[in-house]
Amino acid sequence: MKKRILPVILLAVMLLAGCGSEQEEINTLEDIKDMTLAIGAPEDIDANEYILKACPNAKIVPQSELIGIYSLAESKFDAYVAGRNYFEKAMMDGEIQGIKILDEPLVSYPCALGLSKLCKIPDFENTVNETMNRFISDGTLDDMQERWFLQGNEQMPEIGLDENAEYILNVVTYGESKPFSFFKDGKLTGFDVELAYRVCEANHWGMKLTNAQYPSMLMGLSTGKYDMISADLYVTENHEDNVVFSVPYRTQDICMAVRDTVEPKKQKEIKSIADMKKMKLIIGASDDADTQEFILEACPKAELVSQNDTLLGVRSVAEGKLDAYVVGRPYIERTIRESDIKGVKILDEPLHTYQCGLGLSKTCPIPNYKKSVDETVERLISDGTIEEMRVRWFEQEKDQMPEIKLDENPTYTLNAVTFGESKPFSFFFNGELSGFDVELVYRICEANHWGLNLTNAQYPAMLMGLSTGKYDMLSANLYITADRGENVDFSVPYKFDEIGVAVRDDSEPLSDKDAAQKPEYNTLSELANAKDFAIQTGTVFDQLVKEKYPQAKIEYYQEAIDCALAVASGKADAFVFDAPALEYIAACNDGVTLMPEYLEKDDYHFIMPKSERGEKLQKEFNEWLSEQRRNGEADRLYAFWCSNEEPTDVLDFKTLPETDGKIKIAFSPAGRPDVYYFRNCPAGYPVELIYNFCRDRGYGADVSVVSFDSLLPALASGKADIGATFISYTEERAESVLFTDTVKESGIGVLVRTVGSENEETFFDTLKNGLRKTFVAEERWKLIVSGLGVTALITLGGFLLANILGAAFCCCIMSRRKGLRIFADVYDRIMQGTPMVVILMLLYYVIFGKSNISGVWVAIIAFGLNSGASLAQQFCGAITGVDKGQTEAALAIGFTKYQAFTGIVFPQAARIVLPGYFSTLIGLMKGTSIVGYITVIDLTKSGDLIRSSTYDAFFPLLSIAVIYFLISFGLLSLLKCLRKKLEPKRVTAQEEAK
């Protein structure tokens, strides 16, 4: 059984390309005994010991069958190990050429169904075993193997299940392992799926079939979430620890495939649509059925990959992950132009030409609706308005909508919908929808004196809303097709749109800049020479580094961006972190690069507290996440956040419904696609994932941002119900918190420095770009202003409390009662002897852990307590510094004690205490820079968040330093003015002396 591996893992074996050059012919396992080979294998088959037995010098690289067999054919491996049926199916379909399977298997495993011990069906295990024995004896399994493995069948036979079944069997499979289990026409099919259906049919059970990843299957089976695994499950010692097996029903030979010495013909360069006819290509395209049909007509052997993100699709072509990407030509042209992607060209001949029209509801209440729209569109065509719009949006690339005034008191209001993520047709600009499609709707409403209610939605929701009457008009570069015409009306066509094909352009050379940059370390083995590894505090990557590189010196940094900057500046040789975040950091910084190999495979989760509420949330989230995987929404979200495309708007958690209560969510920024800051709010894949979960399940949300090492304390203290960021599972962490199912499979990557590159920017260019990124882009100045306000609030509030406490404890220190003096002394020793950050975290996570008090108020209390002890000593020193004789003289002439203190002692004590008083205030203000530990976004934390988005340390840190300096300078200037008023002669004398 196999894990699903992201296409990006293909980079993990690029360094092996060409490793088998001049390699001797391999015909048997005996031939490889003394060879040094790069051999790929799935992690789940327990065959590593058998590989090393056959080839002791092998370099084993974990890789799924989906990519591994292709990698072998493309010479990225010397050999690949998998079940014989996988190789045979790939070669039978013509997908793979230039490889051969060695006759002798490395090992053979029995295959069986995985059964849960917690299944509620009576005598479940015996019933399944009896059914399997019957299938073996009556030839049912032989017939299935003939159809699926030898004949290459891809169609499920009709198997009717009992609609009124007493028991429903929860079955799980892995739908990416053809011919065992895979998706065909949107439905699960394959040998394992048919087997599950036949078991249920024979026993009159109903069935609920789920597609899941390998770890989730075993975990779900052991917890009773699933009753049966049907996924070509090998009977191995590792699996037996967690799974009850049925009787084995077949044997799988684990074989080694190598490259055939007879080289296959190299694929010709794609110069036209006709060239694609006989090629086996991997083509990315949108989910549009008509477009996919045209692709298969032009390239019958194509393997289609669903990809709705144009930027990601075009980049995948440039990187060789796709042979071609198909979408509207304007999307490709603008993407290549704006992203400056190299090595991609558009074929001259379009794949197809569509007419574009407006989608119109058949139930719109506006009289003569379709006729009015058609007449308006025809008029806009004839008077040149449409052509003027086309030139402005497509050729001149305008982003600003022209001013179009609609009737303020319309008789009818048009409910229109568009898709605001398809620049230049419809997109967000300055928070408002803009683009060709948006302008067209406005002009139609203007011409007919209609009002307009414009909504942004996804394509499936738009079409459904149009057919049900929720929307009156759909304006989103809509292609006129027969299938769509069954449910909606179309306006007259207003333009034609060519479906373009983007392919690799190998004639375009690398730029001098790209060619000059080379990684300092190329392979994991070379890292043995690295001395300093940067590790983020709170992560577990230091243990992994010490295990693999015992000689390494670990340098700890508070934030991930600090680690990356340490590598870029040469302070560290390598930064070990989650690969998705490193990939984005490398894309944004010319000075570093992500090594192609993973240091270790890893899965990421969210965490919940070990409580009744935490268990409830964990169960709900796992069920919801499974649905998102099945419908592809989770993959779509991740693809978006891995791209360079910016979101159109922030996610406002305050607008979430609270039909099922409210949950507290803690985020820890680590860099896109993980959590980062966009327009002064949390964004990224985990943020949108948890937002969608709350929205779908009816939860409101209170959001906080914490450092990574504060996530576990936040959950343990009840400050958070969910820790939503990429978190690796460890047994030590599992003792304290609950882990969700895998939210993303990836690995632990290594970021290293690139050498040989030079910065071509001038000083003024660097200054200009740095200031723009720090302040102007995404209105980040607002984050700094907001952080400054929080710093000011904590400073003033804390200092006010400190004055009250300082006065109170001053009285205790000077009291004649011994108990009060001892109490004040203990308080002073605790406050002065304990680091401020410890006091802060103790108050937030322990003392006020179960309360809903905000981090700002906790910070005010903490700094008030700490500074209060300092002020108490200063007050006492100033008071005792006034000659007691003055007090005695005042009392002798009839003053009361209160009058003597306020009129004689206090004015003199104030002059004495003033310098230290202001020093305490300035120290308190600067000390607030640590409040980021308790989810508070102050001035310093706002700078950290900007750094995590821009990957630039200089300008954010310099800006924060300047602001602190200006505040301190202002306070010192105020002190000087006060002293001049209180002691003009002394200050003048000091100035003259200078």
Side-chain angles (χ1 to χ4, degrees):
M1 196 169 63
K2 288 62 51 191
K3 284 185 181 179
R4 177 183 177 189
I5 308 295
L6 283 172
V8 73
I9 200 173
L10 188 57
L11 292 172
V13 294
M14 287 295 186
L15 61 102
L16 300 172
C19 56
S21 59
E22 304 299 329
Q23 180 181 292
E24 299 178 15
E25 183 179 358
I26 300 173
N27 294 306
T28 66
L29 292 177
E30 185 66 26
D31 294 337
I32 67 173
K33 196 162 189 177
D34 297 322
M35 292 184 178
T36 300
L37 303 177
I39 301 177
E43 286 186 293
D44 311 323
I45 63 173
D46 267 355
N48 284 7
E49 60 177 297
Y50 299 102
I51 296 173
L52 293 174
K53 185 177 180 181
C55 184
N57 297 322
K59 165 70 175 178
I60 301 175
V61 181
Q63 184 59 274
S64 70
E65 290 92 343
L66 182 65
I67 296 175
I69 299 176
Y70 278 99
S71 299
L72 173 62
E74 295 170 359
S75 301
K76 294 184 175 73
F77 289 129
D78 296 314
Y80 187 75
V81 173
R84 184 184 294 275
N85 295 119
Y86 295 101
F87 292 121
E88 291 175 340
K89 178 64 175 173
M91 296 169 72
M92 181 191 307
D93 291 344
E95 298 177 0
I96 299 297
Q97 296 179 357
I99 70 171
K100 62 183 178 182
I101 311 169
L102 302 185
D103 293 331
E104 181 186 358
L106 283 168
V107 64
S108 296
Y109 286 121
C111 297
L113 298 169
L115 309 178
S116 171
K117 296 178 181 180
L118 303 176
C119 181
K120 297 179 181 179
I121 298 176
D123 204 20
F124 174 56
E125 184 179 345
N126 288 333
T127 303
V128 172
N129 285 335
E130 290 173 1
T131 305
M132 294 304 299
N133 285 326
R134 186 163 66 251
F135 288 166
I136 295 170
S137 61
D138 66 11
T140 298
L141 283 167
D142 290 336
D143 171 67
M144 289 171 57
Q145 292 185 69
E146 173 75 20
R147 280 187 288 105
W148 292 107
F149 302 151
L150 302 180
Q151 296 177 3
N153 177 63
E154 293 189 359
Q155 188 64 46
M156 274 280 289
E158 288 191 17
I159 303 174
L161 300 184
D162 193 341
E163 295 181 356
N164 300 307
E166 182 178 1
Y167 298 105
I168 303 295
L169 191 69
N170 290 307
V171 181
V172 63
T173 189
Y174 177 64
E176 298 183 22
S177 54
K178 196 175 183 180
F180 296 95
S181 178
F182 57 100
F183 281 92
K184 176 75 173 178
D185 297 330
K187 295 182 179 180
L188 280 166
T189 187
F191 178 92
D192 293 326
V193 177
E194 180 180 345
L195 183 58
Y197 269 95
R198 291 201 178 278
V199 169
C200 291
E201 178 192 40
N203 294 286
H204 304 287
W205 296 334
M207 185 173 74
K208 179 183 177 183
L209 183 62
T210 304
N211 177 47
Q213 305 295 313
Y214 173 74
S216 300
M217 290 190 200
L218 293 179
M219 185 182 298
L221 200 72
S222 62
T223 60
K225 180 179 180 180
Y226 306 124
D227 301 317
M228 185 169 80
I229 296 176
S230 181
D232 191 36
L233 190 64
Y234 303 149
V235 180
T236 68
E237 292 182 2
N238 285 346
H239 288 159
E240 284 178 337
D241 294 338
N242 302 305
V243 179
V244 175
F245 290 105
S246 71
V247 294
Y249 56 83
R250 59 182 296 273
T251 300
Q252 175 72 288
D253 289 340
I254 305 301
C255 297
M256 180 177 291
V258 297
R259 294 193 302 276
D260 201 337
T261 53
V262 179
E263 290 290 336
K265 292 182 180 179
K266 291 186 178 180
Q267 184 171 287
K268 295 187 298 182
E269 181 184 358
I270 304 173
K271 296 181 179 179
S272 66
I273 301 295
D275 291 342
M276 301 166 61
K277 192 78 176 176
K278 297 181 179 180
M279 293 182 179
K280 174 62 181 177
L281 304 176
I282 302 175
I283 301 178
S286 66
D287 295 327
D288 181 70
D290 291 308
T291 301
Q292 294 184 358
E293 182 179 340
F294 291 125
I295 294 172
L296 293 175
E297 285 180 7
C299 186
K301 295 182 179 180
E303 177 183 342
L304 297 181
V305 176
S306 178
Q307 180 54 266
N308 291 300
D309 188 310
T310 305
L311 179 62
L312 193 59
V314 174
R315 181 182 289 116
S316 296
V317 172
E319 295 172 353
K321 297 172 185 176
L322 294 175
D323 297 310
Y325 181 70
V326 176
V327 76
R329 182 182 289 272
Y331 296 110
I332 302 176
E333 290 174 339
R334 187 146 186 163
T335 297
I336 293 175
R337 188 164 54 247
E338 292 190 347
S339 61
D340 197 29
I341 293 176
K342 306 296 183 184
V344 179
K345 64 182 179 182
I346 308 173
L347 298 183
D348 295 332
E349 180 188 358
L351 182 70
H352 184 73
T353 300
Y354 279 114
Q355 290 181 323
C356 295
L358 297 164
L360 308 177
S361 171
K362 295 182 178 182
T363 60
C364 180
I366 299 176
N368 298 317
Y369 172 56
K370 185 178 186 309
K371 180 181 178 182
S372 300
V373 172
D374 286 344
E375 289 176 352
T376 305
V377 172
E378 288 172 346
R379 187 165 62 253
L380 293 174
I381 295 172
S382 63
D383 66 12
T385 301
I386 293 289
E387 175 61 18
E388 184 267 332
M389 290 168 56
R390 187 195 67 77
V391 171
R392 183 152 33 81
W393 292 110
F394 301 150
E395 295 181 11
Q396 298 176 357
E397 300 181 2
K398 298 294 184 181
D399 288 337
Q400 182 71 49
M401 275 277 290
E403 188 173 342
I404 302 174
K405 292 185 178 181
L406 301 183
D407 196 334
E408 295 181 358
N409 299 301
T411 306
Y412 299 101
T413 297
L414 187 74
N415 290 309
V417 63
T418 189
F419 177 61
E421 300 176 28
S422 54
K423 195 173 184 179
F425 296 98
S426 179
F427 58 98
F428 280 89
F429 178 73
N430 289 339
E432 300 290 337
L433 280 165
S434 186
F436 180 93
D437 293 328
V438 177
E439 181 179 345
L440 182 58
V441 176
Y442 269 90
R443 293 204 177 277
I444 290 172
C445 292
E446 178 190 40
N448 292 281
H449 304 287
W450 296 335
L452 176 62
N453 178 21
L454 185 60
T455 304
N456 176 51
Q458 302 294 316
Y459 259 100
M462 286 194 287
L463 292 169
M464 184 180 296
L466 197 67
S467 62
T468 59
K470 179 179 180 181
Y471 306 123
D472 302 319
M473 178 182 290
L474 193 164
S475 181
N477 195 40
L478 189 66
Y479 300 150
I480 298 176
T481 67
D483 288 342
R484 290 173 175 171
E486 294 177 0
N487 299 310
V488 299
D489 286 333
F490 289 101
S491 70
V492 293
Y494 56 84
K495 76 178 187 70
F496 293 89
D497 198 6
E498 292 184 348
I499 302 300
V501 180
V503 296
R504 182 85 181 116
D505 184 6
D506 294 319
S507 64
E508 188 169 355
L510 290 173
S511 67
D512 293 339
K513 181 181 178 182
D514 292 334
Q517 292 183 343
K518 295 181 180 179
E520 189 172 8
Y521 300 95
N522 293 289
T523 66
L524 294 180
S525 59
E526 290 180 8
L527 280 178
N529 300 320
K531 297 179 180 179
D532 299 318
F533 283 76
I535 301 294
Q536 184 184 6
T537 304
T539 64
V540 295
F541 303 134
D542 53 347
Q543 302 171 19
L544 180 62
V545 171
K546 290 175 182 176
E547 177 185 332
K548 292 185 178 292
Y549 305 105
Q551 85 292 347
K553 178 184 176 183
I554 307 295
E555 299 286 347
Y556 292 95
Y557 295 84
Q558 188 63 32
E559 302 292 342
I561 183 56
D562 295 325
C563 298
L565 293 171
V567 172
S569 62
K571 294 179 180 178
D573 297 313
F575 169 31
V576 177
F577 199 61
D578 300 320
L582 292 184
E583 184 178 4
Y584 195 78
I585 291 174
C588 297
N589 193 322
D590 291 334
V592 292
T593 185
L594 178 62
M595 294 186 68
E597 287 183 275
Y598 285 159
L599 192 61
E600 190 171 271
K601 182 74 177 65
D602 198 14
D603 296 330
Y604 304 127
H605 312 258
F606 293 163
I607 54 176
M608 281 89 168
K610 278 196 169 182
S611 63
E612 184 177 346
R613 179 172 175 78
E615 291 175 356
K616 176 178 178 291
L617 283 173
Q618 180 197 41
K619 181 180 179 181
E620 284 188 23
F621 181 80
N622 287 343
E623 291 174 351
W624 177 85
L625 182 61
S626 180
E627 295 172 5
Q628 300 303 297
R629 281 183 174 152
R630 283 198 301 272
N631 61 29
E633 180 64 14
D635 290 337
R636 186 196 69 78
L637 283 182
Y638 188 75
F640 171 79
W641 290 109
C642 283
S643 72
N644 286 332
E645 186 177 352
E646 292 292 359
T648 55
D649 208 350
V650 298
L651 297 172
D652 188 356
F653 283 82
K654 295 179 181 178
T655 62
L656 289 171
E658 296 185 28
T659 54
D660 200 19
K662 183 178 283 191
I663 56 178
K664 292 174 281 189
I665 305 167
F667 296 117
S668 177
R672 187 171 176 175
D674 200 349
V675 180
Y676 77 113
Y677 252 62
F678 172 75
R679 291 185 186 171
N680 311 331
C681 293
Y685 175 68
V687 178
E688 187 163 4
L689 199 65
I690 207 69
Y691 176 89
N692 291 348
F693 165 70
C694 293
R695 179 198 63 201
D696 294 346
R697 297 292 174 168
Y699 286 114
D702 285 332
V703 173
S704 59
V705 178
V706 300
S707 58
F708 189 85
D709 52 349
S710 297
L711 270 178
L712 293 179
L715 264 74
S717 64
K719 291 293 183 183
D721 299 315
I722 298 178
T725 192
F726 287 160
I727 301 176
S728 302
Y729 175 90
T730 66
E731 292 184 359
E732 182 179 4
R733 288 174 175 172
E735 293 177 359
S736 305
V737 295
L738 300 173
F739 282 82
T740 65
D741 288 345
T742 301
V743 296
K744 197 62 207 168
E745 293 177 341
S746 187
I748 299 170
V750 183
L751 196 77
V752 295
R753 185 169 54 256
T754 54
V755 294
S757 59
E758 296 183 0
N759 186 6
E760 299 176 356
E761 287 188 337
T762 65
F763 170 77
F764 292 104
D765 288 336
T766 303
L767 180 65
K768 178 181 176 181
N769 291 333
L771 292 174
R772 180 189 60 80
K773 288 193 297 183
T774 302
F775 295 102
V776 180
E778 298 177 10
E779 298 181 334
R780 293 190 177 113
W781 63 271
K782 291 183 179 179
L783 185 61
I784 293 179
V785 171
S786 174
L788 178 59
V790 172
T791 295
L793 177 61
I794 295 173
T795 301
L796 297 176
F799 198 62
L800 176 61
L801 179 61
N803 276 273
I804 296 171
L805 293 175
F809 280 101
C810 174
C811 294
C812 293
I813 293 171
M814 302 184 71
S815 174
R816 295 179 180 179
R817 296 182 180 180
K818 186 177 180 180
L820 290 177
R821 294 198 304 274
I822 293 174
F823 173 68
D825 184 59
V826 170
Y827 165 75
D828 180 68
R829 290 176 184 272
I830 291 174
M831 289 297 109
Q832 300 298 337
T834 307
M836 190 61 220
V837 68
V838 176
I839 296 173
L840 198 65
M841 296 185 73
L842 276 173
L843 286 173
Y844 188 74
Y845 292 116
V846 180
I847 296 175
F848 295 109
K850 300 299 181 181
S851 69
N852 291 323
I853 186 172
S854 72
V856 172
W857 281 107
V858 171
I860 289 173
I861 294 171
F863 283 99
L865 288 170
N866 184 264
S867 298
S870 177
L871 288 181
Q873 294 295 339
Q874 293 180 39
F875 291 163
C876 289
I879 291 171
T880 56
V882 178
D883 189 356
K884 288 184 179 181
Q886 296 184 45
T887 303
E888 294 171 353
L891 295 175
I893 61 175
F895 278 60
T896 64
K897 288 184 178 180
Y898 175 77
Q899 289 173 329
F901 178 78
T902 57
I904 297 174
V905 177
F906 180 78
Q908 298 180 72
R911 288 194 292 269
I912 296 171
V913 82
L914 200 58
Y917 187 77
F918 268 79
S919 295
T920 301
L921 174 59
I922 294 172
L924 191 158
M925 182 269 297
K926 292 188 291 186
T928 60
S929 60
I930 64 173
V931 296
Y933 280 93
I934 60 168
T935 78
V936 177
I937 301 176
D938 70 317
L939 183 59
T940 300
K941 188 64 177 179
S942 66
D944 291 339
L945 295 174
I946 291 173
R947 287 193 300 137
S948 70
S949 296
T950 63
Y951 301 104
D952 178 14
F954 178 74
F955 285 100
L957 289 176
L958 179 64
S959 302
I960 300 305
V962 168
I963 294 172
Y964 275 118
F965 169 76
L966 291 176
I967 296 173
S968 300
F969 182 80
L971 290 174
L972 290 172
S973 299
L974 178 62
L975 170 63
K976 188 174 181 180
C977 291
L978 288 174
R979 292 187 65 194
K980 272 188 176 181
K981 288 189 175 183
L982 295 174
E983 300 177 294
K985 293 182 180 180
R986 179 180 297 182
V987 173
T988 302
Q990 290 176 348
E991 289 177 350
E992 290 175 352
K994 290 181 180 180

